[in-house]
Amino acid sequence: MSDTETESDIDPLGPNVRQTAAELATGDRTETLLQTDGLVKQFGGFTATDDVDFSVAEGELRCLIGPNGAGKSTLLNLITGTYEASDGSIYYNGHDITDLDPHERVSRGISMKFQVPSVYGDLSVRENVRLPVQQFADGEERRRLVAEAIEAAGLTGYEDVAASQLSHGQQQQLEIGMAAALEPDLLLLDEPVAGLDVAEREAIAERIRRLNEEEGIAFIVIEHDTDFVASIAEEVTVLHNGEVFREGPIEEIESDPEVQRIYLGGES
Ligand SMILES: Nc1ncnc2c1ncn2[C@@H]1O[C@H](COP(=O)(O)OP(=O)(O)OP(=O)(O)O)[C@@H](O)[C@H]1O
């Protein structure tokens, strides 16, 4: 500790707080990117997320599952700042971001693709991707980011095609590319493959895996389909009645009778 640094300056939830024994043993350093601490969201008298402690490491790909109404979208909306927390804290890169505006969180590296597609049908793929990029880059930098985002979306060759002419799956790919164009450290996806067929789901899974492996982007993905979850993620968090119900490898979660009861059984 330096002479000017007091104990209260040191954030107890800074990087490295959640290393497992195995990581410590192997020397793999996994730094905590996002952590929520006792996070609560109430709508009137109803508690949608209840005392949620949840963390994501740098470069991790984590899925969030749970029955309808479990609080999954609410948790993502708290992380982006769309919803204000009723209680608890959110730490990002070791800094308390609980009271930051959504745009300040974006500038710190948190990006979100929402459940409902929001591409502009009349605009081309390139023009859609340019929208988020032009807010913070111009000239050669802008051209580079737009080209990279189109490549990340898997839409090379479709640059001049109007978004309305793309399939639903390609529109979802475009949205992921637009969210990735902001060069986030953490990308939140709310049901990115809802309503897509098997081939379209595989195309989205491929986009997510590549962004995670090649760009090192960490993900939180809300998804109901456990086959899709297993194709992209190893670790899963199950929410139920607004609380963290289980966390662990997808194979364990899938075969957990209590999870089957609340999730696969459709009880909420
Ligand atoms: N803006 C809101 N106002 C009032 N209640 C809300 C609001 N947003 C969510 N809720 C309630 O909070 C609970 C959790 O909703 P949430 O959308 O987070 O669940 P979910 O797990 O994402 O569900 P689904 O899988 O159906 O999308 C639900 O009972 C929902 O009705």
Side-chain angles (χ1 to χ4, degrees):
M1 198 186 301
S2 73
D3 291 346
T4 53
E5 200 174 35
T6 65
E7 202 148 335
S8 63
D9 290 328
I10 300 173
D11 187 343
L13 293 167
N16 288 329
V17 289
R18 290 267 172 110
Q19 279 195 264
T20 64
E23 286 162 357
L24 289 168
T26 58
D28 288 344
R29 293 174 62 83
T30 309
E31 302 208 335
T32 303
L33 180 63
L34 175 96
Q35 187 159 335
T36 74
D37 186 24
L39 201 57
V40 176
K41 179 61 186 175
Q42 289 174 319
F43 296 107
F46 178 76
T47 304
T49 61
D50 194 3
D51 199 18
V52 170
D53 296 343
F54 170 77
S55 70
V56 177
E58 278 182 2
E60 183 180 352
L61 208 168
R62 177 169 287 265
C63 282
L64 201 51
I65 67 174
N68 290 333
K72 305 180 296 294
S73 297
T74 301
L75 178 57
L76 291 202
N77 283 316
L78 287 166
I79 294 168
T80 59
T82 308
Y83 291 160
E84 205 176 307
S86 307
D87 200 1
S89 304
I90 306 170
Y91 296 89
Y92 187 70
N93 272 325
H95 298 282
D96 188 341
I97 62 161
T98 317
D99 297 324
L100 291 188
D101 291 337
H103 74 271
E104 291 176 287
R105 301 187 198 203
V106 171
S107 68
R108 287 185 184 219
I110 301 176
S111 185
M112 172 134 172
K113 188 201 99 51
F114 291 93
Q115 201 167 353
V116 182
S118 58
V119 297
Y120 290 90
D122 293 343
L123 300 184
S124 70
V125 165
R126 185 186 287 107
E127 288 165 337
N128 268 287
V129 172
R130 208 180 275 144
L131 291 174
V133 172
Q134 68 192 9
Q135 293 169 32
F136 66 97
D138 53 21
E140 192 47 44
E141 167 82 345
R142 184 168 80 187
R143 275 189 288 282
R144 179 183 67 78
L145 289 169
V146 168
E148 284 179 5
I150 292 171
E151 145 76 43
L155 292 174
T156 304
Y158 290 84
E159 289 83 350
D160 298 316
V161 175
S164 59
Q165 300 303 308
L166 300 176
S167 68
H168 183 47
Q170 287 171 322
Q171 289 187 10
Q172 296 283 25
Q173 289 176 224
L174 174 56
E175 278 211 80
I176 291 174
M178 289 166 71
L182 298 170
E183 300 198 303
D185 296 318
L186 176 63
L187 186 42
L188 314 179
L189 305 179
D190 195 342
E191 299 196 33
V193 295
L196 301 188
D197 65 27
V198 173
E200 290 173 323
R201 282 168 179 252
E202 179 43 42
I204 297 286
E206 174 68 13
R207 292 300 117 206
I208 295 171
R209 284 192 298 257
R210 283 182 61 166
L211 284 167
N212 178 249
E213 287 163 15
E214 294 173 13
E215 310 295 330
I217 298 174
F219 281 84
I220 306 172
V221 182
I222 294 180
E223 184 46 51
H224 286 284
D225 177 357
T226 47
D227 287 340
F228 181 79
V229 170
S231 76
I232 59 168
E234 289 173 1
E235 288 290 310
V236 174
T237 298
V238 185
L239 284 189
H240 179 46
N241 290 336
E243 297 179 7
V244 174
F245 185 75
R246 288 281 190 284
E247 278 189 313
I250 179 66
E251 311 81 52
E252 269 178 33
I253 296 291
E254 269 187 305
S255 58
D256 185 322
E258 287 299 297
V259 173
Q260 289 172 2
R261 183 177 65 77
I262 61 115
Y263 182 66
L264 301 175
E267 181 205 318
S268 65

